[in-house]
């Protein structure tokens, strides 16, 4: 009964209106892996650099090979991958600053925490992560379920396509299992702004006579605005995915917190400095 009450309390707390925001007590979790016990970790620093270099190198390769007079930027895949790049670059910046105490970020951590306000860079990192994670999963799902082999154009760069439609989600999921900061279900509403903006863009782009990189009058076949009902169905389907994936990610987050609570959290509490 107590366990059931505890779960119920967690769910109620999760939907508190304050969780629309980006305030959090244990700010060190943004700089450290959930799995590390010490204040700094060379292996986590190395990991962050490897992940950032992967996303950055793939993005530049795609940009060079697929720029096509700027048409590169009309595709949702590239929007999502760019979000992943920004997230990973900011992540490696934060961890590098923490590891080497650049700008006395560790030395002044207690004073910053006493202000009871999450620094802007941490808020931005949290927001970017909340945007990039579900976008990566949605892109992978939509592409392999509905678009792979069905688009009216050749797949000229299969390795890059595999990286941006599959490895993007694999790398982000691995990262999700390693990071230490929390998941908030209400942040899903921010993530939903991405497909809303993209759908509006595809409509405006169509009305302005825009074409894709091979001359089709749509960005994606399923977003052909000569068939508006099909576009609306696509929009609804993506929103359903945006309900499913954040819920699954939140469940994974709660599970990893549960298993680490006794084995890691007690050890880290000796080093942690957070808001009270």
């Amino acid at each position: 009964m107590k366990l059931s009450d505890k779960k119920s309390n967690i769910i109620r707390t999760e939907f508190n209106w304050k969780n629309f925001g980006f305030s959090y007590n244990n700010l060190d979790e943004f700089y450290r892996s959930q799995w590390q016990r010490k204040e700094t970790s060379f292996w986590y620093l190395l990991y962050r650099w490897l992940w950032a270099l992967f996303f950055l190198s793939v993005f530049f390769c795609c940009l060079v090979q697929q720029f096509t007079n700027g048409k590169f930027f009309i595709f949702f895949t590239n929007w999502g991958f760019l979000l992943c790049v920004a997230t990973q670059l900011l992540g490696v910046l934060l961890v590098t600053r923490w590891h080497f105490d650049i700008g006395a970020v560790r030395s002044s951590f207690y004073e910053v925490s006493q202000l009871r306000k999450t620094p802007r860079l941490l808020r931005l990192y949290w927001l970017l992560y909340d945007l990039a994670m579900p976008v990566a999963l949605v892109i992978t799902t939509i592409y392999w379920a509905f678009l792979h082999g069905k688009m009216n154009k050749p797949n000229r760069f299969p390795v890059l396509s595999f990286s941006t439609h599959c490895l993007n989600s694999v790398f982000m999921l691995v990262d999700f299992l390693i990071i230490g900061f929390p998941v908030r279900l209400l942040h899903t509403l921010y993530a939903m702004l991405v497909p809303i903006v993209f759908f509006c863009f595809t409509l405006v782009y169509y009305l302005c006579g825009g074409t894709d990189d091979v001359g089709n009058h749509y960005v994606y076949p399923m977003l052909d605005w000569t068939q508006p009902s099909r576009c609306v169905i696509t929009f609804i389907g993506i929103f359903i995915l945006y309900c499913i994936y954040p819920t699954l990610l939140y469940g994974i987050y709660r599970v990893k917190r549960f298993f680490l609570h006794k084995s890691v959290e007690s050890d880290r509490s000796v080093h942690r400095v957070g808001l009270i």
Side-chain angles (χ1 to χ4, degrees):
M1 187 69 179
K2 291 183 178 180
L3 182 60
S4 177
D5 292 340
K6 185 176 180 180
K7 290 180 179 178
S8 215
N9 184 55
I10 289 174
I11 296 299
R12 284 197 301 270
T13 302
E14 190 61 36
F15 285 97
N16 188 304
W17 68 270
K18 292 182 179 180
N19 282 337
F20 277 115
F22 293 85
S23 296
Y24 189 58
N25 292 339
N26 302 318
L27 301 182
D28 63 321
E29 293 181 0
F30 289 91
Y31 299 99
R32 301 164 56 179
S33 163
Q34 181 170 305
W35 306 90
Q36 75 183 67
R37 295 170 180 263
K38 297 180 181 179
E39 191 173 43
T40 62
S41 168
F42 167 78
W43 297 111
Y44 185 54
L45 177 67
L46 177 62
Y47 159 79
R48 287 256 65 101
W49 273 98
L50 290 175
W51 252 233
L53 289 174
F54 164 77
F55 279 97
L56 191 61
S57 60
V58 171
F59 177 75
F60 276 120
C61 287
C62 291
L63 194 61
V64 170
Q65 297 291 332
Q66 303 173 346
F67 186 71
T68 320
N69 296 321
K71 296 287 179 74
F72 173 84
F73 294 102
I74 71 173
F75 297 105
F76 191 57
T77 296
N78 299 330
W79 285 31
F81 204 81
L82 184 57
L83 280 172
C84 291
V85 171
T87 301
Q88 296 299 327
L89 288 179
L90 186 51
V92 75
L93 171 65
L94 292 172
V95 174
T96 301
R97 287 185 63 204
W98 178 267
H99 188 86
F100 296 105
D101 199 21
I102 298 173
V105 64
R106 274 192 286 122
S107 305
S108 60
F109 187 73
Y110 179 75
E111 289 77 7
V112 173
S113 297
Q114 290 301 100
L115 297 176
R116 296 180 178 272
K117 185 177 180 181
T118 308
R120 290 181 180 178
L121 272 181
L122 299 187
R123 290 170 180 258
L124 178 59
Y125 179 48
W126 201 355
L127 173 62
L128 286 174
Y129 210 99
D130 288 337
L131 298 180
M133 188 72 240
V135 166
L137 295 175
V138 167
I139 286 171
T140 298
T141 302
I142 295 298
Y143 177 77
W144 293 102
F146 301 103
L147 295 175
H148 180 63
K150 301 174 184 178
M151 298 184 70
N152 185 25
K153 58 183 177 180
N155 186 359
R156 296 175 294 170
F157 309 102
V159 174
L160 291 179
S161 179
F162 184 75
S163 297
T164 56
H165 293 112
C166 181
L167 293 184
N168 61 326
S169 291
V170 172
F171 275 64
M172 289 299 293
L173 280 172
V174 170
D175 196 52
F176 180 76
L177 295 175
I178 293 175
I179 60 169
F181 56 90
V183 172
R184 285 182 175 169
L185 283 174
L186 292 181
H187 286 185
T188 304
L189 298 178
Y190 299 117
M192 286 180 172
L193 292 175
V194 178
I196 290 175
V197 171
F198 183 75
F199 271 77
C200 292
F201 162 75
T202 60
L203 176 57
V204 173
Y205 191 70
Y206 165 74
L207 293 175
C208 293
T211 60
D212 67 2
D213 51 336
V214 295
N216 295 313
H217 60 276
Y218 49 73
V219 178
Y220 293 106
M222 57 202 311
L223 289 176
D224 182 353
W225 284 98
T226 60
Q227 305 177 53
S229 59
R230 186 179 184 182
C231 295
V232 172
I233 293 172
T234 300
F235 187 74
I236 293 173
I238 288 179
F239 258 72
I240 291 174
L241 288 178
Y242 264 91
C243 293
I244 294 173
Y245 281 135
T247 303
L248 290 176
L249 291 171
Y250 179 76
I252 295 172
Y253 160 71
R254 296 310 315 182
V255 168
K256 70 175 186 175
R257 284 282 184 167
F258 174 78
F259 282 109
L260 286 171
H261 180 70
K262 293 182 179 179
S263 62
V264 177
E265 195 73 7
S266 59
D267 184 77
R268 289 180 58 190
S269 62
V270 177
H271 305 284
R272 176 184 293 127
V273 180
L275 307 184
I276 300 174

